[in-house]
């Protein structure tokens, strides 16, 4: 079984930190850390069979196929290059999709 290395981009790290900060403000730090752990745990699953995740038709281009994984209401966008999985963005699905795809 092939194992992929998961690489989290600076943008995705910032996205996750923004999610944690936002949840900390509206809920609690405990809930924010629970969500953070859940998202990180979901990303770890990309080490095995990332190609089983669906392609994102909105974020993909002719040059790059973007796939996604969903944890609760958070969408994790990534692409595969050789034996690495690059996580490029994490966002709540209620966010403006056009704004997000422009930032990729």
């Amino acid at each position: 079984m092939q194992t992929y290395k998961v690489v989290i981009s600076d943008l995705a790290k910032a996205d996750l930190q923004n999610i944690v900060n936002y949840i900390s403000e509206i809920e609690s730090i405990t809930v924010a850390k629970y969500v953070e752990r859940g998202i990180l745990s979901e990303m770890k699953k990309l080490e095995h069979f990332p190609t089983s995740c669906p392609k994102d038709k909105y974020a993909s281009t002719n040059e790059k196929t973007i796939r996604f994984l969903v944890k609760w209401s958070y969408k994790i966008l990534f692409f595969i290059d050789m034996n690495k999985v690059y996580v490029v963005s994490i966002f709540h699905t209620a966010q403006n999709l056009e704004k997000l795809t422009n930032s990729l």
Side-chain angles (χ1 to χ4, degrees), residues 39-50:
I39 291 171
L40 290 171
S41 175
E42 202 68 19
M43 285 191 290
K44 184 151 179 61
K45 293 178 183 178
L46 294 172
E47 291 177 349
H48 306 286
F49 306 112

Side-chain angles (χ1 to χ4, degrees), residues 7 13 17 22 27 35 39 64 76 81 83 87 103-104:
V7 178
K13 288 176 187 175
Q17 188 58 55
Y22 178 75
E27 292 286 335
V35 170
I39 291 171
K64 191 171 289 183
I76 303 163
D81 187 19
N83 61 342
V87 177
S103 69
L104 296 177

Side-chain angles (χ1 to χ4, degrees), residues 47-100:
E47 291 177 349
H48 306 286
F49 306 112
T51 55
S52 67
C53 295
K55 296 175 184 175
D56 190 300
K57 65 181 180 180
Y58 299 105
S60 293
T61 64
N62 290 335
E63 296 80 33
K64 191 171 289 183
T65 300
I66 304 292
R67 295 178 179 274
F68 70 93
L69 188 59
V70 176
K71 178 67 173 181
W72 301 307
S73 295
Y74 295 96
K75 193 170 188 179
I76 303 163
L77 297 179
F78 67 92
F79 68 90
I80 304 164
D81 187 19
M82 304 290 282
N83 61 342
K84 292 183 181 175
V85 173
Y86 294 90
V87 177
V88 293
S89 187
I90 306 163
F91 62 93
H92 194 281
T93 55
Q95 285 183 280
N96 181 335
L97 184 62
E98 184 176 315
K99 179 181 121 184
L100 292 165

